Amino acid sequence: MKRWIIFAAFLFCIVRAVIIDDNESCESEEHEEKQKMKCPKHYKGYYRVPSAANNQTKMWCIRVVMVNVSVSEPAAQQACNGEGAVLTTFSSYDEQKHIVRHASKFFRRNNITQGSIWLDGVRIEECRTLNVSKQISAPCNDKTRVFDITDPRTDPKYAWTQWYRTAPSWAYWPMRTEEYSNYPTPDSITADCINMWIYPGNDDRNGQLHAMHCDMAVPPYDFEKALNTNYGYVCGRPPVLSFY
């Protein structure tokens, strides 16, 4: 009789343990279901396929910021950092389309024919050179390698297919009237940052990437040329968890 009592008690303990485990599992699943990734106000979220190329990023929040005065790349970086974000770029056609659509709407509303906005991207160190031989050799002559992004949570593979057909160039500054063969000169600087052309109505340029002098808010070689005047920038950040 005692054996049966002991055996029954043993079975009771096992069943109770299983029930507790199941309850904890259900509670855990219910807790996860109540969590939802959400982007802050003014940001739009895009799901990404987590990989080593994007630091295992599952969702990325993007905000296109448009301004009425031209800005430099460092100013754009600082503005994004000020709201807990970073200067970012697109990783897919959908993200690119969102940026172009938002910026183009601003241009039309403000009667701006053409211009640019800053994106993440800098020329790699070994290609920040005035040595023409290096510029025309790998990796500096490779559109997929000559630039890199500063934030690892975006895979730039798609973005590097969106350079304008003649970009990225070095765009030496100061510009001079001498023959091109005399370039660059010792005091030259190169275009080491990236902006996106916004040119509503011109499918050849609208949404394409171009190299630009980082400290320049407007094109240094022609201050009246609007195409490279930067009227905005794109910030990116991770989502936040919300409970509902």
Side-chain angles (χ1 to χ4, degrees):
M1 186 67 179
K2 288 183 179 180
R3 289 182 179 179
W4 280 107
I5 294 174
I6 293 172
F7 182 69
F10 178 70
L11 284 178
F12 174 78
C13 291
I14 292 177
V15 172
R16 184 173 182 274
V18 170
I19 292 173
I20 290 174
D21 286 344
D22 286 345
N23 286 340
E24 289 179 350
S25 176
C26 291
E27 288 176 1
S28 176
E29 291 176 1
E30 183 180 357
H31 179 70
E32 290 178 0
E33 288 177 358
K34 288 184 178 180
Q35 295 184 26
K36 181 180 180 181
M37 290 189 295
K38 181 180 179 182
C39 289
K41 187 177 180 180
H42 303 306
Y43 282 80
K44 182 176 177 60
Y46 285 91
Y47 285 100
R48 295 175 170 179
V49 178
S51 69
N54 65 12
N55 203 31
Q56 304 302 325
T57 299
K58 184 177 181 180
M59 184 179 185
W60 191 239
C61 302
I62 293 174
R63 181 187 181 194
V64 185
V65 182
M66 306 304 298
V67 293
N68 291 316
V69 292
S70 55
V71 294
S72 65
E73 196 270 356
Q77 283 273 15
Q78 186 176 13
C80 290
N81 295 163
E83 54 184 65
V86 295
L87 191 65
T88 194
T89 191
F90 53 89
S91 69
S92 66
Y93 170 76
D94 287 340
E95 293 179 21
Q96 179 188 22
K97 183 172 68 174
H98 168 69
I99 295 169
V100 173
R101 182 181 298 166
H102 189 99
S104 296
K105 183 178 180 180
F106 174 87
F107 274 39
R108 292 190 182 98
R109 187 168 63 243
N110 290 275
N111 296 316
I112 301 173
T113 304
Q114 54 188 299
S116 302
I117 58 175
W118 290 110
L119 301 178
D120 184 22
V122 292
R123 196 180 298 272
I124 61 175
E125 189 66 35
E126 65 183 290
C127 296
R128 297 180 195 178
T129 176
L130 299 178
N131 186 318
V132 177
S133 296
K134 289 185 177 180
Q135 292 175 359
I136 61 176
S137 303
C140 302
N141 64 347
D142 187 339
K143 292 189 176 191
T144 67
R145 299 167 63 195
V146 64
F147 274 77
D148 199 0
I149 55 173
T150 62
D151 186 81
R153 290 166 290 188
T154 297
D155 180 358
K157 183 177 180 180
Y158 171 73
W160 298 156
T161 69
Q162 297 303 299
W163 288 107
Y164 184 62
R165 60 177 178 272
T166 59
S169 66
W170 265 260
Y172 305 127
W173 169 255
M175 293 290 284
R176 292 182 172 79
T177 58
E178 298 98 329
E179 291 294 324
Y180 185 79
S181 59
N182 293 332
Y183 287 101
T185 51
D187 60 344
S188 294
I189 60 173
T190 55
D192 293 333
C193 289
I194 296 176
N195 60 19
M196 174 191 278
W197 275 337
I198 302 299
Y199 200 158
N202 187 324
D203 294 336
D204 183 47
R205 291 182 182 270
N206 202 21
Q208 298 296 289
L209 303 184
H210 180 71
M212 177 67 172
H213 304 85
C214 303
D215 291 332
M216 305 294 183
V218 295
Y221 49 85
D222 185 352
F223 292 103
E224 300 301 320
K225 187 174 182 180
L227 184 58
N228 292 326
T229 299
N230 293 279
Y231 293 101
Y233 45 90
V234 182
C235 298
R237 56 158 295 156
V240 294
L241 284 178
S242 64
F243 297 87
Y244 64 99

mmCIF file of all heavy atoms in Angstrom, residues 160-201:
data_model
loop_
_atom_site.group_PDB
_atom_site.id
_atom_site.type_symbol
_atom_site.label_atom_id
_atom_site.label_comp_id
_atom_site.label_asym_id
_atom_site.label_seq_id
_atom_site.Cartn_x
_atom_site.Cartn_y
_atom_site.Cartn_z
ATOM 1 N N TRP A 160 24.637 50.427 -53.988
ATOM 2 C CA TRP A 160 25.775 50.603 -54.907
ATOM 3 C C TRP A 160 25.393 50.353 -56.362
ATOM 4 O O TRP A 160 26.181 50.634 -57.263
ATOM 5 C CB TRP A 160 26.930 49.694 -54.510
ATOM 6 C CG TRP A 160 27.533 49.931 -53.163
ATOM 7 C CD1 TRP A 160 28.213 49.016 -52.415
ATOM 8 C CD2 TRP A 160 27.558 51.147 -52.389
ATOM 9 N NE1 TRP A 160 28.648 49.566 -51.232
ATOM 10 C CE2 TRP A 160 28.253 50.884 -51.190
ATOM 11 C CE3 TRP A 160 27.046 52.431 -52.584
ATOM 12 C CZ2 TRP A 160 28.461 51.848 -50.200
ATOM 13 C CZ3 TRP A 160 27.236 53.389 -51.590
ATOM 14 C CH2 TRP A 160 27.932 53.106 -50.428
ATOM 15 N N THR A 161 24.206 49.847 -56.602
ATOM 16 C CA THR A 161 23.738 49.692 -57.990
ATOM 17 C C THR A 161 23.004 50.945 -58.464
ATOM 18 O O THR A 161 22.570 51.006 -59.620
ATOM 19 C CB THR A 161 22.786 48.486 -58.129
ATOM 20 O OG1 THR A 161 21.553 48.762 -57.439
ATOM 21 C CG2 THR A 161 23.416 47.225 -57.563
ATOM 22 N N GLN A 162 22.865 51.924 -57.573
ATOM 23 C CA GLN A 162 22.061 53.105 -57.883
ATOM 24 C C GLN A 162 22.892 54.374 -58.092
ATOM 25 O O GLN A 162 22.371 55.485 -57.990
ATOM 26 C CB GLN A 162 21.030 53.328 -56.777
ATOM 27 C CG GLN A 162 20.032 52.195 -56.630
ATOM 28 C CD GLN A 162 19.284 51.936 -57.928
ATOM 29 O OE1 GLN A 162 18.583 52.805 -58.437
ATOM 30 N NE2 GLN A 162 19.441 50.736 -58.484
ATOM 31 N N TRP A 163 24.178 54.214 -58.374
ATOM 32 C CA TRP A 163 24.990 55.371 -58.741
ATOM 33 C C TRP A 163 24.517 55.923 -60.088
ATOM 34 O O TRP A 163 24.133 55.166 -60.982
ATOM 35 C CB TRP A 163 26.460 54.980 -58.879
ATOM 36 C CG TRP A 163 27.187 54.692 -57.606
ATOM 37 C CD1 TRP A 163 27.573 53.464 -57.138
ATOM 38 C CD2 TRP A 163 27.640 55.643 -56.639
ATOM 39 N NE1 TRP A 163 28.228 53.592 -55.945
ATOM 40 C CE2 TRP A 163 28.290 54.920 -55.609
ATOM 41 C CE3 TRP A 163 27.565 57.032 -56.538
ATOM 42 C CZ2 TRP A 163 28.864 55.543 -54.501
ATOM 43 C CZ3 TRP A 163 28.128 57.652 -55.434
ATOM 44 C CH2 TRP A 163 28.766 56.913 -54.436
ATOM 45 N N TYR A 164 24.575 57.239 -60.228
ATOM 46 C CA TYR A 164 24.347 57.826 -61.548
ATOM 47 C C TYR A 164 25.432 57.293 -62.480
ATOM 48 O O TYR A 164 26.533 56.963 -62.035
ATOM 49 C CB TYR A 164 24.397 59.352 -61.454
ATOM 50 C CG TYR A 164 24.085 60.052 -62.751
ATOM 51 C CD1 TYR A 164 22.839 59.904 -63.350
ATOM 52 C CD2 TYR A 164 25.042 60.851 -63.378
ATOM 53 C CE1 TYR A 164 22.545 60.539 -64.544
ATOM 54 C CE2 TYR A 164 24.755 61.496 -64.570
ATOM 55 C CZ TYR A 164 23.507 61.328 -65.154
ATOM 56 O OH TYR A 164 23.220 61.952 -66.340
ATOM 57 N N ARG A 165 25.151 57.202 -63.751
ATOM 58 C CA ARG A 165 26.039 56.487 -64.675
ATOM 59 C C ARG A 165 27.473 57.026 -64.702
ATOM 60 O O ARG A 165 28.413 56.281 -64.974
ATOM 61 C CB ARG A 165 25.455 56.491 -66.089
ATOM 62 C CG ARG A 165 25.239 57.856 -66.702
ATOM 63 C CD ARG A 165 24.715 57.739 -68.138
ATOM 64 N NE ARG A 165 24.450 59.031 -68.733
ATOM 65 C CZ ARG A 165 23.302 59.666 -68.633
ATOM 66 N NH1 ARG A 165 22.305 59.104 -67.966
ATOM 67 N NH2 ARG A 165 23.126 60.845 -69.201
ATOM 68 N N THR A 166 27.672 58.321 -64.421
ATOM 69 C CA THR A 166 29.033 58.874 -64.420
ATOM 70 C C THR A 166 29.594 59.015 -63.003
ATOM 71 O O THR A 166 30.672 59.579 -62.819
ATOM 72 C CB THR A 166 29.052 60.249 -65.103
ATOM 73 O OG1 THR A 166 28.157 61.130 -64.405
ATOM 74 C CG2 THR A 166 28.632 60.135 -66.558
ATOM 75 N N ALA A 167 28.866 58.540 -62.021
ATOM 76 C CA ALA A 167 29.293 58.662 -60.621
ATOM 77 C C ALA A 167 29.787 57.306 -60.105
ATOM 78 O O ALA A 167 29.455 56.262 -60.670
ATOM 79 C CB ALA A 167 28.122 59.158 -59.774
ATOM 80 N N PRO A 168 30.583 57.318 -59.022
ATOM 81 C CA PRO A 168 31.068 58.500 -58.301
ATOM 82 C C PRO A 168 32.339 59.069 -58.932
ATOM 83 O O PRO A 168 33.215 58.322 -59.347
ATOM 84 C CB PRO A 168 31.371 57.951 -56.911
ATOM 85 C CG PRO A 168 31.781 56.527 -57.163
ATOM 86 C CD PRO A 168 30.953 56.065 -58.333
ATOM 87 N N SER A 169 32.416 60.373 -58.997
ATOM 88 C CA SER A 169 33.611 61.034 -59.513
ATOM 89 C C SER A 169 34.409 61.586 -58.339
ATOM 90 O O SER A 169 33.964 61.534 -57.196
ATOM 91 C CB SER A 169 33.219 62.165 -60.464
ATOM 92 O OG SER A 169 32.547 63.183 -59.737
ATOM 93 N N TRP A 170 35.585 62.124 -58.628
ATOM 94 C CA TRP A 170 36.377 62.742 -57.556
ATOM 95 C C TRP A 170 36.019 64.214 -57.385
ATOM 96 O O TRP A 170 36.168 64.769 -56.318
ATOM 97 C CB TRP A 170 37.875 62.582 -57.843
ATOM 98 C CG TRP A 170 38.421 61.379 -57.145
ATOM 99 C CD1 TRP A 170 39.115 61.363 -55.968
ATOM 100 C CD2 TRP A 170 38.290 60.019 -57.533
ATOM 101 N NE1 TRP A 170 39.422 60.071 -55.610
ATOM 102 C CE2 TRP A 170 38.929 59.215 -56.561
ATOM 103 C CE3 TRP A 170 37.690 59.374 -58.611
ATOM 104 C CZ2 TRP A 170 38.995 57.840 -56.624
ATOM 105 C CZ3 TRP A 170 37.752 57.999 -58.688
ATOM 106 C CH2 TRP A 170 38.397 57.249 -57.699
ATOM 107 N N ALA A 171 35.544 64.856 -58.437
ATOM 108 C CA ALA A 171 35.080 66.246 -58.383
ATOM 109 C C ALA A 171 36.061 67.142 -57.632
ATOM 110 O O ALA A 171 35.754 67.698 -56.590
ATOM 111 C CB ALA A 171 33.694 66.314 -57.735
ATOM 112 N N TYR A 172 37.255 67.272 -58.166
ATOM 113 C CA TYR A 172 38.287 68.076 -57.503
ATOM 114 C C TYR A 172 37.825 69.508 -57.247
ATOM 115 O O TYR A 172 37.149 70.120 -58.058
ATOM 116 C CB TYR A 172 39.556 68.131 -58.365
ATOM 117 C CG TYR A 172 40.107 66.802 -58.745
ATOM 118 C CD1 TYR A 172 40.358 66.490 -60.070
ATOM 119 C CD2 TYR A 172 40.384 65.844 -57.771
ATOM 120 C CE1 TYR A 172 40.868 65.259 -60.432
ATOM 121 C CE2 TYR A 172 40.892 64.613 -58.122
ATOM 122 C CZ TYR A 172 41.132 64.320 -59.456
ATOM 123 O OH TYR A 172 41.638 63.104 -59.811
ATOM 124 N N TRP A 173 38.216 70.002 -56.118
ATOM 125 C CA TRP A 173 37.938 71.387 -55.763
ATOM 126 C C TRP A 173 39.174 71.947 -55.074
ATOM 127 O O TRP A 173 39.784 71.244 -54.274
ATOM 128 C CB TRP A 173 36.726 71.467 -54.826
ATOM 129 C CG TRP A 173 36.535 72.826 -54.216
ATOM 130 C CD1 TRP A 173 36.806 73.196 -52.922
ATOM 131 C CD2 TRP A 173 36.066 73.987 -54.865
ATOM 132 N NE1 TRP A 173 36.540 74.509 -52.720
ATOM 133 C CE2 TRP A 173 36.075 75.034 -53.920
ATOM 134 C CE3 TRP A 173 35.653 74.276 -56.165
ATOM 135 C CZ2 TRP A 173 35.687 76.323 -54.217
ATOM 136 C CZ3 TRP A 173 35.256 75.560 -56.453
ATOM 137 C CH2 TRP A 173 35.271 76.566 -55.489
ATOM 138 N N PRO A 174 39.657 73.157 -55.347
ATOM 139 C CA PRO A 174 39.049 74.165 -56.227
ATOM 140 C C PRO A 174 39.117 73.792 -57.711
ATOM 141 O O PRO A 174 40.042 73.130 -58.144
ATOM 142 C CB PRO A 174 39.895 75.409 -55.964
ATOM 143 C CG PRO A 174 40.671 75.124 -54.731
ATOM 144 C CD PRO A 174 40.856 73.653 -54.691
ATOM 145 N N MET A 175 38.126 74.258 -58.462
ATOM 146 C CA MET A 175 38.115 74.077 -59.906
ATOM 147 C C MET A 175 38.961 75.174 -60.546
ATOM 148 O O MET A 175 39.016 76.295 -60.058
ATOM 149 C CB MET A 175 36.685 74.155 -60.448
ATOM 150 C CG MET A 175 35.803 73.010 -60.006
ATOM 151 S SD MET A 175 36.257 71.438 -60.761
ATOM 152 C CE MET A 175 35.609 71.656 -62.409
ATOM 153 N N ARG A 176 39.624 74.850 -61.642
ATOM 154 C CA ARG A 176 40.449 75.835 -62.334
ATOM 155 C C ARG A 176 40.188 75.785 -63.832
ATOM 156 O O ARG A 176 39.483 74.903 -64.319
ATOM 157 C CB ARG A 176 41.930 75.575 -62.030
ATOM 158 C CG ARG A 176 42.294 75.866 -60.570
ATOM 159 C CD ARG A 176 43.784 75.648 -60.344
ATOM 160 N NE ARG A 176 44.171 76.090 -59.021
ATOM 161 C CZ ARG A 176 43.960 75.383 -57.909
ATOM 162 N NH1 ARG A 176 43.359 74.214 -57.967
ATOM 163 N NH2 ARG A 176 44.346 75.843 -56.736
ATOM 164 N N THR A 177 40.793 76.707 -64.531
ATOM 165 C CA THR A 177 40.574 76.787 -65.974
ATOM 166 C C THR A 177 41.629 76.024 -66.761
ATOM 167 O O THR A 177 41.560 75.951 -67.980
ATOM 168 C CB THR A 177 40.580 78.261 -66.426
ATOM 169 O OG1 THR A 177 41.833 78.859 -66.051
ATOM 170 C CG2 THR A 177 39.432 79.017 -65.778
ATOM 171 N N GLU A 178 42.620 75.441 -66.051
ATOM 172 C CA GLU A 178 43.659 74.702 -66.759
ATOM 173 C C GLU A 178 43.093 73.442 -67.409
ATOM 174 O O GLU A 178 41.971 73.032 -67.134
ATOM 175 C CB GLU A 178 44.790 74.291 -65.795
ATOM 176 C CG GLU A 178 45.516 75.458 -65.165
ATOM 177 C CD GLU A 178 44.982 75.748 -63.779
ATOM 178 O OE1 GLU A 178 43.779 75.506 -63.545
ATOM 179 O OE2 GLU A 178 45.753 76.219 -62.946
ATOM 180 N N GLU A 179 43.905 72.836 -68.232
ATOM 181 C CA GLU A 179 43.509 71.578 -68.840
ATOM 182 C C GLU A 179 43.295 70.531 -67.752
ATOM 183 O O GLU A 179 43.956 70.545 -66.712
ATOM 184 C CB GLU A 179 44.598 71.086 -69.807
ATOM 185 C CG GLU A 179 44.741 71.924 -71.063
ATOM 186 C CD GLU A 179 43.498 71.824 -71.926
ATOM 187 O OE1 GLU A 179 42.902 70.726 -71.984
ATOM 188 O OE2 GLU A 179 43.117 72.843 -72.528
ATOM 189 N N TYR A 180 42.376 69.599 -68.008
ATOM 190 C CA TYR A 180 42.067 68.569 -67.015
ATOM 191 C C TYR A 180 43.302 67.748 -66.653
ATOM 192 O O TYR A 180 43.424 67.249 -65.538
ATOM 193 C CB TYR A 180 40.974 67.642 -67.556
ATOM 194 C CG TYR A 180 40.511 66.620 -66.548
ATOM 195 C CD1 TYR A 180 39.614 66.969 -65.537
ATOM 196 C CD2 TYR A 180 40.981 65.310 -66.589
ATOM 197 C CE1 TYR A 180 39.194 66.045 -64.609
ATOM 198 C CE2 TYR A 180 40.563 64.376 -65.664
ATOM 199 C CZ TYR A 180 39.666 64.744 -64.673
ATOM 200 O OH TYR A 180 39.259 63.824 -63.750
ATOM 201 N N SER A 181 44.249 67.643 -67.582
ATOM 202 C CA SER A 181 45.453 66.852 -67.326
ATOM 203 C C SER A 181 46.289 67.432 -66.191
ATOM 204 O O SER A 181 47.147 66.756 -65.632
ATOM 205 C CB SER A 181 46.303 66.751 -68.598
ATOM 206 O OG SER A 181 46.670 68.046 -69.045
ATOM 207 N N ASN A 182 46.043 68.700 -65.850
ATOM 208 C CA ASN A 182 46.787 69.326 -64.759
ATOM 209 C C ASN A 182 46.188 69.012 -63.386
ATOM 210 O O ASN A 182 46.760 69.374 -62.365
ATOM 211 C CB ASN A 182 46.825 70.849 -64.940
ATOM 212 C CG ASN A 182 47.641 71.250 -66.150
ATOM 213 O OD1 ASN A 182 48.564 70.545 -66.548
ATOM 214 N ND2 ASN A 182 47.288 72.382 -66.744
ATOM 215 N N TYR A 183 45.026 68.367 -63.380
ATOM 216 C CA TYR A 183 44.394 68.022 -62.114
ATOM 217 C C TYR A 183 44.956 66.709 -61.608
ATOM 218 O O TYR A 183 45.352 65.854 -62.393
ATOM 219 C CB TYR A 183 42.874 67.876 -62.295
ATOM 220 C CG TYR A 183 42.150 69.176 -62.486
ATOM 221 C CD1 TYR A 183 41.769 69.592 -63.749
ATOM 222 C CD2 TYR A 183 41.840 69.984 -61.398
ATOM 223 C CE1 TYR A 183 41.099 70.782 -63.930
ATOM 224 C CE2 TYR A 183 41.163 71.179 -61.576
ATOM 225 C CZ TYR A 183 40.792 71.575 -62.845
ATOM 226 O OH TYR A 183 40.126 72.752 -63.018
ATOM 227 N N PRO A 184 44.891 66.428 -60.310
ATOM 228 C CA PRO A 184 44.569 67.420 -59.278
ATOM 229 C C PRO A 184 45.793 68.250 -58.917
ATOM 230 O O PRO A 184 46.913 67.868 -59.232
ATOM 231 C CB PRO A 184 44.148 66.549 -58.103
ATOM 232 C CG PRO A 184 44.979 65.313 -58.278
ATOM 233 C CD PRO A 184 45.096 65.097 -59.764
ATOM 234 N N THR A 185 45.577 69.345 -58.245
ATOM 235 C CA THR A 185 46.668 70.183 -57.766
ATOM 236 C C THR A 185 46.853 69.935 -56.274
ATOM 237 O O THR A 185 45.960 69.381 -55.621
ATOM 238 C CB THR A 185 46.350 71.668 -58.024
ATOM 239 O OG1 THR A 185 45.056 71.960 -57.502
ATOM 240 C CG2 THR A 185 46.371 71.961 -59.517
ATOM 241 N N PRO A 186 47.981 70.313 -55.706
ATOM 242 C CA PRO A 186 48.267 69.985 -54.304
ATOM 243 C C PRO A 186 47.210 70.438 -53.302
ATOM 244 O O PRO A 186 47.050 69.827 -52.242
ATOM 245 C CB PRO A 186 49.604 70.695 -54.052
ATOM 246 C CG PRO A 186 50.255 70.727 -55.394
ATOM 247 C CD PRO A 186 49.135 70.963 -56.359
ATOM 248 N N ASP A 187 46.485 71.496 -53.619
ATOM 249 C CA ASP A 187 45.490 71.991 -52.668
ATOM 250 C C ASP A 187 44.085 71.471 -52.973
ATOM 251 O O ASP A 187 43.101 71.950 -52.417
ATOM 252 C CB ASP A 187 45.476 73.518 -52.643
ATOM 253 C CG ASP A 187 45.142 74.117 -54.003
ATOM 254 O OD1 ASP A 187 45.223 73.374 -55.008
ATOM 255 O OD2 ASP A 187 44.814 75.313 -54.063
ATOM 256 N N SER A 188 43.988 70.485 -53.845
ATOM 257 C CA SER A 188 42.676 69.948 -54.204
ATOM 258 C C SER A 188 42.090 69.104 -53.073
ATOM 259 O O SER A 188 42.818 68.513 -52.273
ATOM 260 C CB SER A 188 42.776 69.080 -55.462
ATOM 261 O OG SER A 188 43.129 69.840 -56.591
ATOM 262 N N ILE A 189 40.765 69.054 -53.013
ATOM 263 C CA ILE A 189 40.063 68.115 -52.142
ATOM 264 C C ILE A 189 39.112 67.318 -53.022
ATOM 265 O O ILE A 189 38.787 67.734 -54.135
ATOM 266 C CB ILE A 189 39.279 68.821 -51.012
ATOM 267 C CG1 ILE A 189 38.218 69.762 -51.602
ATOM 268 C CG2 ILE A 189 40.210 69.557 -50.074
ATOM 269 C CD1 ILE A 189 37.295 70.352 -50.546
ATOM 270 N N THR A 190 38.687 66.170 -52.534
ATOM 271 C CA THR A 190 37.824 65.313 -53.342
ATOM 272 C C THR A 190 36.444 65.173 -52.720
ATOM 273 O O THR A 190 36.236 65.477 -51.547
ATOM 274 C CB THR A 190 38.446 63.912 -53.492
ATOM 275 O OG1 THR A 190 38.721 63.382 -52.193
ATOM 276 C CG2 THR A 190 39.736 63.981 -54.288
ATOM 277 N N ALA A 191 35.510 64.707 -53.525
ATOM 278 C CA ALA A 191 34.126 64.513 -53.073
ATOM 279 C C ALA A 191 34.027 63.160 -52.377
ATOM 280 O O ALA A 191 33.948 62.124 -53.034
ATOM 281 C CB ALA A 191 33.178 64.580 -54.264
ATOM 282 N N ASP A 192 34.017 63.164 -51.061
ATOM 283 C CA ASP A 192 34.125 61.918 -50.300
ATOM 284 C C ASP A 192 32.848 61.495 -49.587
ATOM 285 O O ASP A 192 32.861 60.541 -48.811
ATOM 286 C CB ASP A 192 35.259 62.038 -49.270
ATOM 287 C CG ASP A 192 36.622 62.142 -49.936
ATOM 288 O OD1 ASP A 192 36.770 61.633 -51.060
ATOM 289 O OD2 ASP A 192 37.535 62.739 -49.331
ATOM 290 N N CYS A 193 31.738 62.202 -49.797
ATOM 291 C CA CYS A 193 30.466 61.823 -49.188
ATOM 292 C C CYS A 193 29.426 61.563 -50.280
ATOM 293 O O CYS A 193 29.690 61.780 -51.461
ATOM 294 C CB CYS A 193 29.983 62.914 -48.227
ATOM 295 S SG CYS A 193 30.969 63.009 -46.708
ATOM 296 N N ILE A 194 28.251 61.108 -49.874
ATOM 297 C CA ILE A 194 27.225 60.704 -50.846
ATOM 298 C C ILE A 194 25.940 61.503 -50.665
ATOM 299 O O ILE A 194 25.449 61.668 -49.545
ATOM 300 C CB ILE A 194 26.894 59.204 -50.702
ATOM 301 C CG1 ILE A 194 28.119 58.352 -51.052
ATOM 302 C CG2 ILE A 194 25.713 58.818 -51.595
ATOM 303 C CD1 ILE A 194 27.891 56.866 -50.851
ATOM 304 N N ASN A 195 25.408 61.976 -51.782
ATOM 305 C CA ASN A 195 24.055 62.521 -51.747
ATOM 306 C C ASN A 195 23.216 61.879 -52.843
ATOM 307 O O ASN A 195 23.728 61.231 -53.748
ATOM 308 C CB ASN A 195 24.036 64.053 -51.839
ATOM 309 C CG ASN A 195 24.660 64.590 -53.110
ATOM 310 O OD1 ASN A 195 24.809 63.892 -54.100
ATOM 311 N ND2 ASN A 195 25.038 65.864 -53.089
ATOM 312 N N MET A 196 21.925 62.036 -52.697
ATOM 313 C CA MET A 196 20.979 61.504 -53.680
ATOM 314 C C MET A 196 20.371 62.663 -54.449
ATOM 315 O O MET A 196 19.861 63.612 -53.854
ATOM 316 C CB MET A 196 19.860 60.715 -52.986
ATOM 317 C CG MET A 196 18.741 60.258 -53.932
ATOM 318 S SD MET A 196 17.286 59.613 -53.054
ATOM 319 C CE MET A 196 17.823 57.938 -52.721
ATOM 320 N N TRP A 197 20.442 62.581 -55.765
ATOM 321 C CA TRP A 197 19.807 63.600 -56.588
ATOM 322 C C TRP A 197 18.295 63.481 -56.489
ATOM 323 O O TRP A 197 17.736 62.386 -56.593
ATOM 324 C CB TRP A 197 20.215 63.430 -58.048
ATOM 325 C CG TRP A 197 21.507 64.092 -58.393
ATOM 326 C CD1 TRP A 197 22.093 65.132 -57.747
ATOM 327 C CD2 TRP A 197 22.375 63.750 -59.479
ATOM 328 N NE1 TRP A 197 23.273 65.466 -58.358
ATOM 329 C CE2 TRP A 197 23.473 64.639 -59.421
ATOM 330 C CE3 TRP A 197 22.327 62.797 -60.491
ATOM 331 C CZ2 TRP A 197 24.514 64.600 -60.339
ATOM 332 C CZ3 TRP A 197 23.363 62.758 -61.407
ATOM 333 C CH2 TRP A 197 24.447 63.645 -61.334
ATOM 334 N N ILE A 198 17.649 64.606 -56.292
ATOM 335 C CA ILE A 198 16.190 64.671 -56.341
ATOM 336 C C ILE A 198 15.834 65.606 -57.487
ATOM 337 O O ILE A 198 16.161 66.789 -57.462
ATOM 338 C CB ILE A 198 15.596 65.188 -55.014
ATOM 339 C CG1 ILE A 198 16.023 64.281 -53.852
ATOM 340 C CG2 ILE A 198 14.075 65.265 -55.112
ATOM 341 C CD1 ILE A 198 15.555 62.836 -53.963
ATOM 342 N N TYR A 199 15.219 65.039 -58.494
ATOM 343 C CA TYR A 199 14.934 65.796 -59.713
ATOM 344 C C TYR A 199 13.594 65.309 -60.256
ATOM 345 O O TYR A 199 13.535 64.559 -61.227
ATOM 346 C CB TYR A 199 16.056 65.552 -60.724
ATOM 347 C CG TYR A 199 16.192 66.582 -61.829
ATOM 348 C CD1 TYR A 199 17.394 66.729 -62.514
ATOM 349 C CD2 TYR A 199 15.125 67.393 -62.203
ATOM 350 C CE1 TYR A 199 17.542 67.657 -63.533
ATOM 351 C CE2 TYR A 199 15.252 68.322 -63.214
ATOM 352 C CZ TYR A 199 16.469 68.451 -63.878
ATOM 353 O OH TYR A 199 16.600 69.378 -64.887
ATOM 354 N N PRO A 200 12.486 65.728 -59.641
ATOM 355 C CA PRO A 200 11.162 65.271 -60.080
ATOM 356 C C PRO A 200 10.954 65.522 -61.574
ATOM 357 O O PRO A 200 11.247 66.597 -62.084
ATOM 358 C CB PRO A 200 10.204 66.129 -59.240
ATOM 359 C CG PRO A 200 11.001 66.497 -58.035
ATOM 360 C CD PRO A 200 12.403 66.677 -58.518
ATOM 361 N N GLY A 201 10.483 64.502 -62.247
ATOM 362 C CA GLY A 201 10.241 64.643 -63.675
ATOM 363 C C GLY A 201 11.411 64.216 -64.535
ATOM 364 O O GLY A 201 11.288 64.123 -65.758
#
